[in-house]
Amino acid sequence: MKVIDKIIESTSSGSTGKPVFSFEFFPPKTEEGAENLFERMERMVGHGPTFCDITWGAGGSTAELTLEIARRMQNLVCVETMMHLTCTNMPVEKIDYALESVKKDGIQNVLALRGDPPRGQDKFVQAEGGFACALDLVEHIRKSYGDYFGIAVAGYPEAHPEVIESNGLATPEAYAKDLAYLKRKVDAGADVIVTQLFYDVDNFLKFVNDCRQIGITCPIVPGIMPINNYNGFIRMTGFCKTKIPSEITSALEPIKDNEEAVRAYGVHLGTEICKKIMASGIKTLHLYTLNMEKSALAILTNLGLIEESKISRPLPWRKPTNLFRLKEDVRPIFWANRPKSYITRTIGWEQYPHGRWGNASNASYGALTDHQFLRPRARDKKLQEEWVVPLKKFDDISEKFMKYCLGQLKTSPWSELDALQPETKIINEQLASINLKGFLTINSQPPVNGAKSDSPSVGWGPAGGYVYQKAYVEFFCSGEKLNALVEKSKAYPLLTYIAVNKEGNLISNVGKNDVNAVTWGVFPAKEIIQPTVVDPSSFLIWKDEAFEIWSRGWAQLYPEDDSSRSLLQEVQNTYYLVSLVDNDYINSDLFNVFKDL
Ligand code: FAD
């Protein structure tokens, strides 16, 4: 979706009236840095930014990396992504390559920039076959791609640094020329302006007013850079020739060597700047995070725009932003803890289920590849620490599963998530007890009969709604345990199960096309949404992945000749994977069936 449409939607009269916010990131230099960035981004995106953007390295130095990060942001982190694109060193073929790539990845937003002069030069030089300024780029995007892209451009409240003179000011003529040029960028098709950082709010408000006076009507999104450390602040404001009001200098001078005090002041100042901007009626804030999380989130918390403990969830799983899967609102429950794997296995679908799951046998999942088993290094290390212990008997295995359910382990080979889902805490004791009996759980949800949609543990969807779910548990167990469970379940007519082993032997009491909605929500002025289903066809696809994790997710963490590997292999080769639903969501009795087993 275009950022302009998101801004209009969230700041229009029918909305909450709260200002919206966005975060800027830059491509880290190392692979490890990129992994850390994605972890941080995951957390920050949970607070619901309208969009996030990723910069284009000076002179095109990070072109491929920026494209890759943008692709992951849009498709795996699932945040509306705006990619910066500059003209420096970019003949039109390279520009088109970048635009085609993001378009293919379902990204719809670009911040069109001229870019700074290539390293070692002080004047911008047009690349051969390239563009001279951002205006050319905006015109090119509109001419070649029509309305597909939402285009943002840069605005400079104190004028562009190139026209700021040694006294720190631009002449009124240069400022007016800059403004007139900004209007040309908007007239050529830009629909949002994002500003250069500033610390003089009055000057920014004057700039907005000046823009309005010459007929610029689009949103002007103020760029806020929290001060994180003194030297960085001096370097950045020097580079951008940003005016520093004297009271900020006076406040910083005495504390400049105390990093913590500088950061606290940065949060205080950022909060005050945003308050003043918001008081003027502007409802958009863009935070230059410098890839750091704390200051940006602290400012938004101070402003009451986020609650650190409350993550908003439009659906039980993170809603996609990729243009091609915007309508998707139903998924099988099996990948609940492996959403990235689900996305990569369904990325080529021509249509995504909407409203209901539809004809399950049509769903053609991508084959399992190495991709589904890639893990960030930090997670790999944590898994090694937590899961690689000598395994001598089956109880050693069940103990790991039990500890994970109790929150005593932070990682699981079967989960890509940072922690257990909040709702798991409701049933973690019961889960722990069945794990100890040899039912090794990898997915679950408690029953819910009409909880408010803003419930911190089970809520999702728009405000004022009610959510429901059937109790669900998914686990590995031996054939013997499965037989006992099947026998016992005869006394529980509302239990439905599908069990399958690695070879594909199926034991089930549901039809192969019986799709079971296990989560649904009722919201004001909306049809019922049923975002999670249990469907046998997808389960049979999922089981290959689930069984494969025994070897590729766990056993392979051990040295090759370690005897623990053979125990894990035995489980993998002999156990069943079982999906169990208690359809009585009002008087659920799911865990009773495990009693005495
Ligand atoms: P332009 O809009 O082309 O303008 C540059 C200057 O030239 C202005 O003073 C303008 O008035 C003048 N000018 C240009 N053409 C004309 C004309 N035809 N007539 C009259 N005046 C003209 N840099 C990066 O390398 N990567 C990034 O990711 C990046 N992100 C940025 C994000 C934001 C929000 C901002 C504010 C800046 C960013 N920059 C980035 C820096 C930016 O590339 C530089 O400031 C660059 O020098 C100018 O880019 P621009 O798009 O503003 O250029």
Side-chain angles (χ1 to χ4, degrees):
M1 192 169 170
K2 289 182 190 172
V3 162
I4 179 66
D5 294 332
K6 293 195 90 168
I7 291 178
I8 292 172
E9 187 181 278
S10 27
T11 55
S12 64
S13 51
S15 68
T16 59
K18 276 190 175 181
V20 294
F21 56 88
S22 46
F23 299 127
E24 182 192 279
F25 301 101
F26 66 85
K29 288 204 171 66
T30 62
E31 220 174 284
E32 205 173 342
E35 280 175 11
N36 289 340
L37 174 63
F38 278 109
E39 285 195 11
R40 208 164 296 147
M41 214 186 273
E42 286 277 353
R43 290 192 292 269
M44 296 177 80
V45 165
H47 293 287
T50 310
F51 68 94
C52 288
D53 52 345
I54 181 77
T55 64
W56 190 259
S61 53
T62 63
E64 283 299 334
L65 186 57
T66 296
L67 287 170
E68 171 61 15
I69 292 178
R71 185 184 69 75
R72 279 178 65 177
M73 285 168 70
Q74 183 86 11
N75 289 291
L76 297 180
V77 181
C78 295
V79 62
E80 199 63 65
T81 300
M82 177 191 279
M83 190 187 75
H84 295 204
L85 181 60
T86 76
C87 307
T88 313
N89 294 331
M90 294 283 283
V92 68
E93 302 79 56
K94 280 195 175 174
I95 297 262
D96 279 330
Y97 168 75
L99 291 168
E100 290 295 345
S101 302
V102 287
K103 191 174 171 197
K104 182 173 73 32
D105 290 332
I107 296 172
Q108 235 190 327
N109 294 289
V110 172
L111 176 51
L113 298 146
R114 183 195 71 180
D116 283 320
R119 204 176 287 263
Q121 301 183 23
D122 34 287
K123 268 212 170 332
F124 178 82
V125 185
Q126 182 174 359
E128 216 177 305
F131 299 127
C133 58
L135 173 63
D136 288 356
L137 180 55
V138 175
E139 284 173 347
H140 173 75
I141 299 174
R142 278 287 170 252
K143 192 166 129 252
S144 306
Y145 300 86
D147 264 353
Y148 176 82
F149 284 107
I151 306 177
V153 288
Y156 300 85
E158 294 161 26
H160 186 273
E162 276 166 22
V163 296
I164 295 180
E165 300 188 351
S166 52
N167 64 357
L169 298 170
T171 62
E173 295 74 30
Y175 173 75
K177 201 171 150 219
D178 219 35
L179 224 57
Y181 171 72
L182 178 59
K183 179 157 188 310
R184 288 175 65 197
K185 292 199 280 189
V186 175
D187 291 345
D191 33 36
V192 173
I193 294 168
V194 181
T195 80
Q196 178 69 291
L197 62 111
F198 59 86
Y199 293 94
D200 182 338
V201 182
D202 289 331
N203 190 68
F204 162 74
L205 295 176
K206 175 183 171 301
F207 166 75
V208 174
N209 190 40
D210 293 341
C211 287
R212 302 301 181 224
Q213 295 296 325
I214 62 164
I216 296 175
T217 55
C218 70
I220 300 175
V221 181
I224 316 293
M225 184 170 291
I227 303 174
N228 277 299
N229 75 70
Y230 182 77
N231 291 337
F233 167 71
I234 294 296
R235 206 177 323 116
M236 199 54 123
T237 48
F239 179 70
C240 299
K241 301 193 184 164
T242 316
K243 180 180 164 195
I244 309 174
S246 57
E247 62 274 18
I248 297 182
T249 310
S250 319
L252 277 175
E253 266 310 306
I255 54 168
K256 65 183 181 189
D257 296 323
N258 180 341
E259 262 198 42
E260 218 167 288
V262 170
R263 207 171 304 126
Y265 173 70
V267 170
H268 163 76
L269 179 67
T271 307
E272 293 308 308
I273 288 177
C274 292
K275 274 187 187 163
K276 197 162 170 182
I277 293 171
M278 285 157 57
S280 77
I282 290 174
K283 290 193 164 181
T284 50
L285 300 169
H286 186 60
L287 287 143
Y288 292 119
T289 67
L290 297 175
N291 290 1
M292 285 181 273
E293 172 176 12
K294 288 202 173 119
S295 298
L297 294 187
I299 291 171
L300 295 174
T301 307
N302 288 349
L303 296 170
L305 299 182
I306 61 172
E307 278 176 52
E308 291 264 19
S309 60
K310 201 166 168 187
I311 302 292
S312 73
R313 301 198 305 169
L315 289 172
W317 32 272
R318 192 173 282 169
K319 206 169 156 42
T321 49
N322 180 310
L323 184 65
F324 306 117
R325 54 197 307 169
L326 279 186
K327 285 193 167 163
E328 178 185 22
D329 65 5
V330 190
R331 285 184 185 176
I333 197 168
F334 317 119
W335 281 270
N337 299 322
R338 290 175 59 82
K340 292 184 176 53
S341 169
Y342 182 77
I343 291 169
T344 56
R345 298 196 68 180
T346 57
I347 206 143
W349 286 6
E350 279 172 9
Q351 278 182 343
Y352 289 91
H354 174 53
R356 54 187 295 277
W357 181 245
N359 186 348
S361 54
N362 276 350
S364 55
Y365 289 88
L368 266 182
T369 64
D370 288 347
H371 215 87
Q372 281 80 39
F373 301 99
L374 290 178
R375 279 191 296 254
R377 219 170 308 181
R379 190 186 305 274
D380 218 50
K381 200 164 153 241
K382 193 85 191 143
L383 265 175
Q384 288 269 2
E385 277 167 33
E386 294 189 334
W387 288 72
V388 181
V389 297
L391 301 170
K392 300 214 159 25
K393 49 190 186 318
F394 290 102
D395 287 353
D396 297 336
I397 296 179
S398 31
E399 192 186 306
K400 286 286 158 203
F401 284 81
M402 180 219 41
K403 284 191 165 165
Y404 179 66
C405 289
L406 291 176
Q408 292 167 6
L409 302 181
K410 298 285 168 245
T411 55
S412 155
W414 281 269
S415 176
E416 295 169 344
L417 308 181
D418 270 347
L420 290 169
Q421 314 247 19
E423 64 180 5
T424 310
K425 294 215 174 73
I426 301 170
I427 47 170
N428 66 353
E429 298 284 342
Q430 287 109 312
L431 289 170
S433 91
I434 67 169
N435 273 297
L436 282 184
K437 293 177 175 190
F439 298 94
L440 311 176
T441 63
I442 57 170
N443 193 359
S444 64
Q445 66 177 27
V448 176
N449 179 24
K452 288 201 164 161
S453 60
D454 64 357
S455 148
S457 54
V458 295
W460 54 272
Y466 287 91
V467 297
Y468 299 79
Q469 57 194 36
K470 296 177 182 173
Y472 179 74
V473 64
E474 187 180 318
F475 51 85
F476 293 98
C477 71
S478 66
E480 199 183 319
K481 293 268 176 204
L482 176 63
N483 288 339
L485 180 74
V486 166
E487 202 44 44
K488 186 101 184 281
S489 71
K490 288 180 181 156
Y492 296 80
L494 290 180
L495 285 187
T496 45
Y497 57 83
I498 321 166
V500 66
N501 67 3
K502 187 162 172 272
E503 298 310 313
N505 295 331
L506 187 69
I507 298 171
S508 162
N509 67 349
V510 296
K512 72 177 185 356
N513 292 320
D514 289 351
V515 177
N516 189 348
V518 289
T519 309
W520 64 103
V522 183
F523 305 97
K526 273 200 182 308
E527 288 189 17
I528 287 176
I529 305 176
Q530 47 166 64
T532 322
V533 297
V534 165
D535 96 285
S537 308
S538 301
F539 184 67
L540 294 183
I541 304 285
W542 159 245
K543 71 103 178 153
D544 287 336
E545 187 169 330
F547 276 107
E548 191 70 12
I549 293 170
W550 282 102
S551 41
R552 292 174 80 169
W554 192 359
Q556 278 180 14
L557 299 175
Y558 288 87
E560 245 175 66
D561 53 355
D562 196 300
S563 61
S564 303
R565 276 194 178 207
S566 27
L567 195 66
L568 292 172
Q569 202 175 16
E570 193 182 332
V571 172
Q572 183 187 35
N573 289 337
T574 59
Y575 272 36
Y576 277 77
L577 176 66
V578 186
S579 156
L580 183 63
V581 181
D582 184 354
N583 292 277
D584 187 348
Y585 63 93
I586 296 178
N587 298 306
S588 180
D589 210 8
L590 183 65
F591 290 99
N592 234 343
V593 76
F594 293 93
K595 240 186 182 164
D596 311 321
L597 287 184

